[in-house]
Amino acid sequence: MIPVRGYEGARVAILGLGRSGLSAAHSLEAGGAQPVCWDDNEAARAKAEEYGLEVLDLAREGAFEGIACLIVSPGIPHLYPQPNRIVAAAQAAGVPVDNDIGLFFRSFAGAEWNDFDQPPRVIAVTGSNGKSTTSALIHHILREAGRDAQLAGNIGRGVLDIDPPEDGGAVVLELSSYQTELARALTPDIAVFTNLSPDHLDRHAGLGGYFAAKRRLFAEGGPDRAIIGIDEAEGRFLAGQLSEGAADDRVIRISVAEKLTGPGWQVFARKGFLSEYRKGRQAGSIDLRPIKGLPGAHNHQNACAAYAACRAMGLAPRVIEEGMRSYPGLPHRSQVIAEAGGVTYVNDSKATNVDSALKALQAFGSIRWICGGLEKEGGLSALAPALENVACAYVIGREAAHFAMQLEGIEAQVCTTMAEAVRRAHADAQPGDTVLLAPAAASFDQYDSFERRGEDFAACVAAALGSGQ
């Protein structure tokens, strides 16, 4: 646990008692603060009381008298589409609003660091797609290289639940826009921006607000090294803002769309080969094609980002390559769950938006594509470049018929349920095919999370293979 510093003896309100809220409460207590907790969910309040935490209705009049700060869980809006009523009350009372990420950065460094030979470092990863894989890959490579490393944030442990770092240790954080937009302290040593595509637009009042939330990690965080994916205009803009010139190697540009040249520091992947260039000369290369845990161009972009971060941490190219080769991949992210009769079954349930689904479709050949769910804004037209890889689409979800109508130029079968989609895809698949779950939609019309959807897919595949249908 990381005890929260700076609130000794103060009353600090916490809104939302999920993982991050409860973790913040315990860390505040450990640092000498007095947490005051609230959640609209009665069961969540009861759980907090079981832990001995004070529960107080923060919506009542005068609730913020004597409160030093309000800590808000990531899912609770503080500005758009409209502020939560309790957040609005805190703002009206002049009470600062923060989150667990802000508490972490203000509390991470301890007095024991004075005795360390190398201070611990924080690598923070944000972007639209690939954050989890990039974060987990960096963590895996560091651990394989013998470094003390912990994985936290949107993946792994809560940021305040981690152990105090050791001499020379590293903490790898996956950070969403919900986390970066509100944190009052953001001071990573290395910050990574993978890419940007439309997502959470209602929460951020449009693409500009969404990008601004990501940009805070760099503009306000002031990292020593910034690793920027420049395959979109926003990434190129951000790299230009942070750099003092073409030779400024504090900014490492990454790409899977083009070969990068120039006097600076670049990492790019073309046709399955990763290359690192510094000062106009090649400094390292890796053949990514045989690495099963990183299939497709989108994972090659993740590999470029992780490679750059590990190089910034001082690891040699061959050490990084060894770590990549042993990387098993993450559940629900281009995860090979079965191979039978020449057919590969891949679970990419995390492909919850059109951009991530497009990348999944581009990673494989002849595809039996299971898709559908709760559609996000923008429609499905952006998937067109990859539909030539699709032999047939098997559409699930409550609005499966409407989803299928948008898939022009390919056969699309309305299945509604996962079990029926897997049954049909399995029956139709030929040797060389890939049965791919890449929904291009949220899961909440049928499942409470993308993980549950992926687990259902895996169970249905196991049932189909076991029955021999």
Side-chain angles (χ1 to χ4, degrees):
M1 178 188 295
I2 305 295
V4 172
R5 307 175 196 279
Y7 289 111
E8 294 83 356
R11 288 169 62 80
V12 178
I14 297 172
L15 178 59
L17 296 173
R19 184 184 72 164
S20 65
L22 288 174
S23 172
H26 294 313
S27 293
L28 283 160
E29 275 193 323
Q34 301 173 36
V36 178
C37 307
W38 182 255
D39 192 298
D40 289 340
N41 183 280
E42 185 177 351
R45 298 197 300 270
K47 185 175 182 180
E49 289 177 331
E50 289 175 10
Y51 285 122
L53 297 169
E54 180 183 352
V55 173
L56 176 69
D57 184 356
L58 296 174
R60 68 173 179 77
E61 187 175 350
F64 284 98
E65 292 178 9
I67 297 294
C69 186
L70 172 66
I71 306 303
V72 180
S73 293
I76 299 172
H78 63 276
L79 185 57
Y80 302 116
Q82 63 182 19
N84 175 279
R85 71 191 191 287
I86 292 174
V87 175
Q91 293 167 338
V95 173
V97 180
D98 203 350
N99 61 14
D100 62 331
I101 304 302
L103 295 180
F104 167 82
F105 276 112
R106 71 179 287 162
S107 308
F108 180 52
E112 67 276 12
W113 288 27
N114 294 327
D115 299 322
F116 287 172
D117 291 329
Q118 294 184 334
R121 305 177 78 185
V122 176
I123 304 168
V125 181
T126 195
S128 295
N129 300 308
K131 298 187 296 297
S132 296
T133 295
T134 299
S135 301
L137 181 56
I138 293 169
H139 176 254
H140 176 81
I141 294 168
L142 290 173
R143 293 292 297 270
E144 289 293 294
R147 297 287 188 92
D148 170 54
Q150 300 181 73
L151 182 62
N154 244 18
I155 186 174
R157 302 163 73 179
V159 290
L160 294 169
D161 285 334
I162 67 170
D163 301 321
E166 298 177 5
D167 191 344
V171 176
V172 185
L173 301 181
E174 179 197 337
L175 299 181
S176 71
S177 59
Y178 289 9
Q179 294 168 310
T180 58
E181 70 173 343
L182 189 57
R184 294 174 67 86
L186 284 169
T187 54
D189 298 282
I190 299 169
V192 179
F193 177 86
T194 58
N195 50 57
L196 194 85
S197 62
D199 207 357
H200 309 303
L201 300 189
D202 58 338
R203 171 67 178 259
H204 300 292
L207 187 61
Y210 178 51
F211 176 54
K214 302 287 189 185
R215 180 180 173 275
R216 288 192 75 242
L217 183 64
F218 302 85
E220 299 188 29
D224 297 329
R225 285 272 193 272
I227 297 161
I228 310 293
I230 61 166
D231 290 339
E232 294 89 26
E234 292 86 357
R236 291 189 292 274
F237 173 81
L238 181 58
Q241 278 203 315
L242 298 173
S243 175
E244 293 295 332
D248 186 354
D249 67 1
R250 295 174 303 168
V251 176
I252 307 174
R253 292 167 170 84
I254 63 171
S255 175
V256 290
E258 59 180 316
K259 177 179 179 179
L260 302 180
T261 59
W265 194 349
Q266 297 101 10
V267 179
F268 61 90
R270 299 293 304 279
K271 298 181 179 179
F273 289 88
L274 180 152
S275 298
E276 175 193 7
Y277 276 76
R278 298 188 70 173
K279 299 179 180 178
R281 295 184 178 182
Q282 188 167 7
S285 64
I286 298 175
D287 183 356
L288 299 172
R289 295 173 300 172
I291 301 178
K292 282 197 171 183
L294 297 168
H298 62 304
N299 275 310
H300 295 172
Q301 183 184 55
N302 300 333
C304 288
Y307 178 96
C310 291
R311 288 290 280 145
M313 288 288 289
L315 270 60
R318 295 283 76 83
V319 172
I320 298 173
E321 181 175 3
E322 289 174 9
M324 286 186 176
R325 291 191 182 283
S326 63
Y327 176 65
L330 280 176
H332 315 296
R333 297 162 178 86
S334 296
Q335 176 192 20
V336 176
I337 59 170
E339 294 178 286
V343 178
T344 302
Y345 297 82
V346 177
N347 169 19
D348 201 345
S349 184
K350 185 60 169 68
T352 58
N353 59 40
V354 167
D355 187 65
S356 55
L358 173 65
K359 290 172 179 176
L361 291 171
Q362 291 172 330
F364 302 98
S366 179
I367 297 171
R368 302 285 170 176
W369 178 32
I370 299 176
C371 56
L374 190 63
E375 281 188 59
K376 296 186 177 181
E377 294 181 17
L380 305 177
S381 60
L383 292 168
L387 293 183
E388 62 184 8
N389 296 342
V390 176
C392 183
Y394 306 83
V395 188
I396 64 173
R398 294 178 185 172
E399 299 180 353
H402 179 262
F403 196 100
M405 288 177 60
Q406 299 179 68
L407 301 176
E408 298 180 1
I410 63 169
E411 180 185 354
Q413 300 182 24
V414 175
C415 301
T416 307
T417 68
M418 182 70 74
E420 180 63 14
V422 170
R423 187 191 68 78
R424 292 193 197 181
H426 171 68
D428 294 345
Q430 302 295 316
D433 285 354
T434 296
V435 175
L436 171 67
L437 171 65
S443 60
F444 302 122
D445 60 331
Q446 292 181 308
Y447 304 92
D448 59 10
S449 68
F450 72 84
E451 291 96 341
R452 288 291 304 129
R453 178 171 58 190
E455 290 163 3
D456 190 25
F457 171 71
C460 291
V461 168
L465 295 178
S467 68
Q469 293 179 350

